[in-house]
Amino acid sequence: MARPVGSADSPADVALAIGLTTAAAAATGWWLRSRYRRDADTDGGDR
């Protein structure tokens, strides 16, 4: 049987995938948080 080329099955590949996913999720969260704060600042401030 032929093995697929580029399969991610080693522990290092799994760790890399988890790390990249976590970093992308964190970056998205920080971007949304800063965007929400920016929008709240332009709404008039006092809430």
Side-chain angles (χ1 to χ4, degrees):
M1 257 192 178
R3 207 176 137 161
V5 175
S7 64
D9 57 1
S10 74
D13 291 334
V14 174
L16 179 63
I18 292 171
L20 289 175
T21 303
T22 302
T28 302
W30 286 325
W31 176 74
L32 287 171
R33 188 173 167 192
S34 69
R35 184 175 172 191
Y36 174 76
R37 284 184 176 176
R38 216 177 309 131
D39 288 347
D41 288 344
T42 60
D43 283 345
D46 286 339
R47 277 193 180 195

